[in-house]
Amino acid sequence: MTPCESRSFLLFLFLLLVLFSFLSSLLYYSLDPKSYQQKWPTDVPQRNINILLWHWPFGHSYKLDGDKCLEMYNISRCFLTDDTSTFSTADVVVFHHEELSRGLSPLPLHLDRPASQHWVWMSLEPPVNNANLAQFNGLFNWTMSYRCDADISIPYGKTILGGDKLGFQAALNRSCFVSWVVSKYQPHQARAVVYQSLQTYIPIEVYGRWNKKPLSNKKLLPTIAKCLFYLSFENSKAKDYISEKLWRNAFQAGAIPVVLGPSRATYEALAPPGSFIHVDDFKNTADLAVYLKQVAADKQASEGYFQWHHTHQVKTYTDWRERLCQICVKYPSLPVSKVYQDLESWVNS
Ligand SMILES: *[C@@H]1O[C@H](CO)[C@@H](O)[C@H](O)[C@H]1NC(C)=O
Ligand SMILES: *[C@@H]1O[C@H](CO)[C@@H](O)[C@H](O)[C@H]1NC(C)=O
Ligand SMILES: *[C@@H]1O[C@H](CO)[C@@H](O)[C@H](O)[C@H]1NC(C)=O
């Protein structure tokens, strides 16, 4: 064969091979459609997801160099950036409400918005702190909040199975009865009203900026841990709004939370059974005070509130990067075409 002939022979062989593999794969997948899914599992994102954070919440930035979602949380193909010049290539753009509503960071309405790009409205504040919402109607595709019905639900904390060995015997030797940490005290708030009344019946140690007894991050949990009860009083009563006042301050310190916030049903749905005392269960603060004294005097009753530590452990979310990486985890199941035409109603619903 001449070199030319050999080349055309090789080409012929090659084409034969291509045809053969095409036909065999056709046969293979037509016989067993499931094998297609086995080869390319649908639960693994097939491509990189680029997430652009338009501005940092409350002006505190975190490092985003390298591959943070993989390095810190073992979430792959998920890239975070705060470089706004990458807008045109971002799959998801996240806007934190506070800076938008105060005009500190304008929306990029003058830029061409790629058709497949999704905008996320993000806030971890209860409705009362989400001002000026109406101007954002019809702009966002997804919501990101502590609410269970948000597209990307990012609670302040949760409990996962697996005992954390936090000694419930810690319940026994306490030098203090009840503590409360509060920085922004406002007399009209429900929590202030309950506190003022409750402290006429029982001693309450109050820390935080309001009482000019601020606690450093390092001192917070050890101080609370000296007391049997902690007042996990939310600054406003709102759907699903359970903040670090429960997950961190009370649960991680190992105090029994006395909760004021959403309904008992909400706490029951989100926190372990028998882990809290709900203010709404009492006719008045006098009854609540009586009950707290009873629990403190009854070893079995107080230990009961710590039983869940044997079977559950607390996980808190504090780093914005971890929350942002969660977008990639949820991404495959998020609704593709969705628009919040009335964001204001959704937030206040
Ligand atoms: C990281 O994730 C991969 C795949 O999702 C998993 O196989 C691996 O065990 C994880 N590694 C760690 C340290 O959790
Ligand atoms: C209980 O607390 C007191 C004072 O805080 C301390 O002196 C004592 O050793 C503690 N007892 C136990 C059993 O931990
Ligand atoms: C996202 O919302 C915008 C604004 O309402 C809308 O024009 C766009 O079609 C939505 N994007 C997707 C992918 O649904």
Side-chain angles (χ1 to χ4, degrees), residues 256-276:
I256 302 172
V258 180
V259 303
L260 179 152
S263 66
R264 161 170 275 280
T266 301
Y267 281 93
E268 278 172 357
L270 301 175
S275 61
F276 59 90

Side-chain angles (χ1 to χ4, degrees), residues 113 115 117-118 138-139 141 336-339:
R113 184 171 169 177
Q117 186 177 78
H118 291 93
L139 287 173
N141 307 100
V336 174
S337 38
K338 182 169 182 179
V339 179

Side-chain angles (χ1 to χ4, degrees), residues 272-330:
S275 61
F276 59 90
I277 295 168
H278 201 298
V279 166
D280 289 355
D281 290 345
F282 301 89
K283 204 165 74 239
N284 50 45
T285 50
D287 285 2
L288 174 59
V290 167
Y291 181 71
L292 297 182
K293 284 188 209 164
Q294 272 172 12
V295 171
D298 179 345
K299 190 163 157 254
Q300 233 183 342
S302 56
E303 280 180 357
Y305 283 101
F306 294 98
Q307 284 304 321
W308 64 271
H309 283 284
H310 289 305
T311 48
H312 296 69
Q313 53 184 305
V314 181
K315 158 131 187 71
T316 54
Y317 295 90
T318 50
D319 191 317
W320 286 102
R321 289 171 297 191
E322 181 165 20
R323 295 175 177 137
L324 293 168
C325 297
Q326 285 301 311
I327 297 174
C328 293
V329 176
K330 309 259 167 84

Side-chain angles (χ1 to χ4, degrees), residues 146-149 153 155 157-160 239-242 246-247 251 259 262-276 278 312:
Y146 57 83
R147 273 197 23 204
C148 301
D149 60 351
S153 178
K158 63 179 180 184
T159 49
I160 50 184
K239 178 180 183 175
D240 297 341
Y241 183 59
I242 302 179
L246 176 75
W247 307 108
F251 281 169
V259 303
S263 66
R264 161 170 275 280
T266 301
Y267 281 93
E268 278 172 357
L270 301 175
S275 61
F276 59 90
H278 201 298
H312 296 69

Side-chain angles (χ1 to χ4, degrees), residues 19-137:
L19 192 71
F20 177 76
S21 57
F22 175 73
L23 286 176
S24 61
S25 66
L26 209 65
L27 188 72
Y28 180 66
Y29 291 128
S30 62
L31 287 178
D32 183 5
K34 263 202 237 92
S35 64
Y36 184 85
Q37 284 166 12
Q38 274 162 13
K39 212 160 178 195
W40 288 285
T42 48
D43 56 342
V44 175
Q46 280 304 295
R47 58 180 190 86
N48 297 344
I49 299 167
N50 295 305
I51 297 179
L52 168 60
L53 178 63
W54 196 247
H55 48 255
W56 283 98
F58 308 111
H60 305 302
S61 63
Y62 293 77
K63 281 208 173 79
L64 291 183
D65 58 308
D67 186 348
K68 286 284 179 268
C69 294
L70 185 64
E71 289 162 20
M72 299 175 72
Y73 311 110
N74 196 27
I75 297 168
S76 57
R77 292 173 163 250
C78 184
F79 298 96
L80 307 182
T81 180
D82 55 6
D83 178 357
T84 54
S85 75
T86 65
F87 177 81
S88 65
T89 55
D91 299 298
V92 179
V93 188
V94 181
F95 301 90
H96 184 248
H97 176 78
E98 173 77 7
E99 293 73 21
L100 287 184
S101 66
R102 293 177 53 210
L104 299 174
S105 171
L107 281 164
L109 297 174
H110 58 292
L111 297 179
D112 269 338
R113 184 171 169 177
S116 62
Q117 186 177 78
H118 291 93
W119 284 15
V120 175
W121 177 86
M122 175 171 74
S123 173
L124 283 182
E125 295 295 315
V128 65
N129 293 345
N130 290 323
N132 305 323
L133 275 163
Q135 57 179 322
F136 304 127
N137 288 345

